[in-house]
Amino acid sequence: MTKKVLAVGEIRDGEFRNVSYEAVAAAKEIAAGGEVVGVLLGENVSGLAQELIQYGADRAVVVESDKLASYTPDGYAQALQAVLEQEDPDGMVLGHTSIGRDAAPKLAARLDSGLVSDATAIEVAGEEVIFTRPIYSGKAFEKKVVADGKVFVTIRPNNIAPLEKDESRSGDVSELTVDIKDIRTIIKDVVRNTASGVDLSEANVIVAGGRGLKSGDNFKILDELADVLGAAVGASRGACDAEYCDYALQIGQTGKVVTPDLYIAVGISGAIQHVAGMSNSKIIVAINKDPEAEIFNIADYGIVGDLFDVVPKLTEEFKNVVVKS
Amino acid sequence: MNIYVILKRTFDTEEKIQITNGQIEEDGAEFIINPYDEYAIEEAIQLRDEHGGEVTLVTVGEEEAEKQLRTGLAMGADKAVLIDNEEVEDRDPYTTQALLAAYFEDKEADIILGGNIAVDGGSGQVGPRLAEKLGIVHVTSIVKIDIADGKATIERDVEGDQEIVEVSLPVLVTAQQGLNEPRYPSLPGIMKAKKKPLETLDVDDLDLDEDDVTGKTKTVDRFLPPEKQAGKVLEGEVDDQVKELVSLLKNEAKVI
């Protein structure tokens, strides 16, 4: 049976985050030939809605409000509830991002609905939609189905491939007016920390450092490598506990769980709790002076050597290759 | 202040996971308080010490979770409640939400603290779900909280950025790493914890039927990821290794 499914887009700094297109692809999968409606919330965002259609949505609904300029749980819940009431879909897909993680459970509770969080794959088998999601931070996986109610899901960025953009596609973009009121969260300030601007959860390439870096200052050799690759910088718990860097960078079972195409582990021993957070990366490179380090057991490519010698040379070599290609 | 902490007993993060017939092997595994919930307990104790009041720990789980509640009491919480979900066959975060919502209905909490996620299921749903059901505001992933004049000023981690928000109490917050450094239970703390009140409730006690709390989603399979094969450790001079690596990433792995 075909389904009608909403795909909620997410905008950051005036552009769609990639996971928005992934949500459209996921919605299309779940819809099984049914209608996919892109949903966009924000202030002055209507102009972007057509892009959701170019990535596969059939049409789009936009809720414009100055009260949606920044994310608040109350604002988003009211806007999404209004869209759900108007559209009455069979399912809804959001990114498993800071916003999706915060808004989706609130909305699911409001509607007494189930929710599958952090899905990494979707298969449709007859009537049933089966989601795969990591448990124990990726040490294992489970397959889940919705037993009752709407198919609500948040998808992990970087796992479900978006459809090819088709600029010739067009569709209806309609605006829904929602009277958003009683927002209980007052946002006082936002401090941007991500220097490189590449978010860990969405990064295609991650360069991560461990205790082997020996100091916070030494992380700058990773920054230089990351710059060349357009990568995000992460760290092991050891490095965070030693205060080489902020906990926001921590990758592991406590910390972020990441699945980039390329993960370069520098001076990281490979403790099980770190490995849980990155072992599902497509390609893992390990650089460590200890040939017995656990990290080599899961690495696709390893260099045994002094990272302070290897990393700068690697940066130079990448510069040559990346610039040339 | 009327302070509550919702917490979960989870596998130790150092444990390897084994699966038999689609079920996680629990035999012989070490269990701990979910690390994110530990931050919540620590913060709750600090808030009580600053503002007065009482810290109540609430967990939904099987009777074995009593051990984790005792640990939390030994850290300094005042009392604990175990909501036994063993009789509920199909559970998911909705189940936990429904049980907790029924428990909190008449509690008049000023603040409820929990972990950002549990390191086992990892869905992070229960906090926002419970807040919605109780009609109170939630703030997830917090790294700092100050309370004054019935208001909480909170710093939250938004994918590496810091957002500073203000909300009026009551509020439900979920703890992110960096909020604090949880204390270890002291020996006198452990002795005292044995005498602190620990109440056990079941579905009946909360005036619920199994139907009210049956999960809305169902797990149909669990499996381990394919084992990663150890790859190629490069050899030779560093300069050559570096060249070979970049070439392999470009031509063999095709990731750059």
Side-chain angles (χ1 to χ4, degrees):
Chain A
M1 196 189 69
T2 61
K3 291 188 171 70
K4 176 177 177 178
V5 184
L6 307 184
V8 182
E10 191 174 326
I11 291 163
R12 192 182 164 112
D13 299 331
E15 283 177 33
F16 276 112
R17 295 180 66 168
N18 252 332
V19 70
S20 310
Y21 311 136
E22 296 164 10
V24 172
K28 211 146 174 112
E29 187 99 28
I30 298 165
E35 190 181 30
V36 172
V37 182
V39 177
L40 199 48
L41 316 178
E43 187 183 25
N44 300 324
V45 293
S46 300
L48 294 166
Q50 203 59 241
E51 224 177 305
L52 289 176
I53 295 166
Q54 290 171 349
Y55 274 93
D58 298 297
R59 58 189 177 85
V61 176
V62 183
V63 183
E64 285 270 1
S65 169
D66 56 350
K67 296 199 175 69
L68 295 172
S70 300
Y71 170 78
T72 60
D74 288 330
Y76 266 55
Q78 288 172 44
L80 286 174
Q81 190 183 1
V83 176
L84 286 164
E85 276 165 14
Q86 173 181 284
E87 297 292 334
D88 191 27
D90 303 299
M92 179 165 71
V93 184
L94 291 94
H96 195 70
T97 59
S98 186
I99 289 178
R101 283 197 298 263
D102 198 85
K106 180 179 172 70
L107 206 62
R110 185 172 288 195
L111 302 172
D112 279 328
S113 172
L115 170 66
V116 178
S117 295
D118 204 17
T120 53
I122 299 169
E123 42 187 315
V124 176
E127 285 291 282
E128 221 154 42
V129 187
I130 303 163
F131 298 97
T132 302
R133 61 182 300 274
I135 49 175
Y136 302 91
S137 310
K139 287 178 188 169
F141 286 84
E142 65 177 358
K143 290 196 176 196
K144 278 197 99 108
V145 296
V146 174
D148 178 25
K150 291 186 195 296
V151 182
F152 278 8
V153 56
T154 60
I155 57 162
R156 173 175 293 200
N158 240 346
N159 281 265
I160 293 163
L163 302 169
E164 197 86 28
K165 184 177 184 177
D166 177 357
E167 298 200 13
S168 67
R169 253 178 94 87
S170 67
D172 181 52
V173 176
S174 62
E175 208 170 303
L176 175 64
T177 309
V178 183
D179 179 23
I180 292 166
K181 49 184 191 256
D182 303 329
I183 290 182
R184 294 170 292 182
T185 312
I186 303 162
I187 298 171
K188 294 286 196 185
D189 200 8
V190 179
V191 185
R192 284 282 173 104
N193 281 343
T194 29
S196 66
V198 184
D199 183 65
L200 269 179
S201 63
E202 273 187 300
N204 287 320
V205 182
I206 291 174
V207 179
R211 273 188 187 276
L213 266 295
K214 294 201 179 89
S215 80
D217 277 349
N218 288 336
F219 261 72
K220 66 173 181 287
I221 65 169
L222 300 192
D223 292 336
E224 286 160 10
L225 175 56
D227 267 353
V228 177
L229 294 169
V233 174
S236 70
R237 180 160 87 184
C240 294
D241 283 349
E243 295 181 4
Y244 298 169
C245 54
D246 199 83
Y247 280 115
L249 299 188
Q250 183 173 324
I251 292 165
Q253 193 158 10
T254 47
K256 305 239 159 42
V257 177
V258 297
T259 47
D261 292 340
L262 174 58
Y263 190 95
I264 305 180
V266 180
I268 289 177
S269 62
I272 189 165
Q273 96 93 34
H274 178 74
V275 168
M278 47 66 80
S279 62
N280 294 307
S281 303
K282 226 168 271 167
I283 296 290
I284 296 168
V285 171
I287 299 167
N288 203 301
K289 67 170 191 288
D290 174 10
E292 303 297 323
E294 290 283 330
I295 192 80
F296 288 116
N297 294 333
I298 58 153
D300 298 280
Y301 305 111
I303 292 184
V304 178
D306 177 6
L307 69 92
F308 296 104
D309 181 25
V310 176
V311 173
K313 284 178 175 158
L314 194 55
T315 304
E316 282 311 307
E317 184 63 21
F318 274 127
K319 254 185 216 165
N320 291 336
V321 172
V322 173
V323 171
K324 267 187 227 154
S325 57
Chain B
M1 276 211 309
N2 216 352
I3 305 166
Y4 287 85
V5 180
I6 48 174
L7 64 99
K8 187 177 188 186
R9 166 185 186 258
T10 60
F11 260 57
D12 193 317
T13 51
E14 300 300 325
E15 291 282 344
K16 283 207 167 111
I17 303 297
Q18 283 166 348
I19 295 177
T20 312
N21 299 328
Q23 299 296 326
I24 306 285
E25 282 288 352
E26 296 199 348
D27 286 353
E30 286 291 323
F31 283 85
I32 54 170
I33 299 172
N34 174 41
Y36 292 95
D37 301 344
E38 242 182 0
Y39 302 123
I41 298 171
E42 175 62 36
E43 200 64 21
I45 293 168
Q46 289 184 19
L47 286 172
R48 179 203 58 199
D49 291 349
E50 193 185 337
H51 301 278
E54 212 175 41
V55 174
T56 307
L57 308 177
V58 187
T59 193
V60 175
E62 301 187 354
E63 58 183 338
E64 290 83 356
E66 189 177 326
K67 191 175 167 205
Q68 280 67 40
L69 289 176
R70 290 286 174 207
T71 304
L73 291 171
M75 287 171 74
D78 300 290
K79 50 186 196 170
V81 180
L82 194 160
I83 301 173
D84 195 326
N85 64 358
E86 201 165 359
E87 64 189 276
V88 186
E89 211 169 307
D90 291 314
R91 314 165 203 163
D92 79 347
Y94 175 85
T95 310
T96 311
Q97 165 211 309
L99 290 167
L100 287 173
Y103 169 78
F104 276 103
E105 212 174 9
D106 58 355
K107 292 299 181 288
E108 294 188 5
D110 292 304
I111 181 166
I112 302 172
L113 301 100
N116 186 27
I117 56 162
V119 295
D120 50 6
S123 77
Q125 291 185 23
V126 171
R129 274 182 178 275
L130 176 61
E132 173 66 22
K133 278 297 160 199
L134 299 177
I136 67 175
V137 66
H138 77 251
V139 182
T140 53
S141 203
I142 75 164
V143 291
K144 191 169 190 283
I145 180 165
D146 290 305
I147 293 179
D149 305 324
K151 285 197 167 84
T153 306
I154 296 169
E155 210 175 294
R156 60 186 295 257
D157 166 41
V158 183
E159 293 169 2
D161 295 340
Q162 250 73 48
E163 187 179 82
I164 293 125
V165 302
E166 188 185 283
V167 292
S168 293
L169 302 185
V171 62
L172 183 149
V173 298
T174 69
Q176 169 68 307
Q177 194 165 38
L179 178 63
N180 53 43
E181 197 66 54
R183 70 193 68 189
Y184 289 101
S186 65
L187 199 56
I190 293 167
M191 298 311 288
K192 269 196 242 168
K194 290 180 179 160
K195 296 201 182 97
K196 288 181 179 175
L198 193 156
E199 184 187 6
T200 302
L201 301 170
D202 63 18
V203 177
D204 265 357
D205 296 326
L206 294 167
D207 286 330
L208 292 166
D209 290 329
E210 201 184 320
D211 281 355
D212 302 327
V213 297
T214 295
K216 304 277 185 185
T217 60
K218 217 172 166 153
T219 300
V220 291
D221 193 18
R222 294 183 187 82
F223 60 96
L224 296 175
E227 205 146 320
K228 264 234 144 168
Q229 300 297 320
K232 195 184 282 183
V233 174
L234 307 181
E235 284 171 1
E237 293 296 312
V238 169
D239 290 7
D240 298 330
Q241 288 191 40
V242 163
K243 281 202 170 63
E244 190 185 350
L245 174 62
V246 172
S247 153
L248 285 166
L249 290 174
K250 192 173 157 69
N251 302 317
E252 188 178 271
K254 298 189 167 61
V255 287
I256 55 164

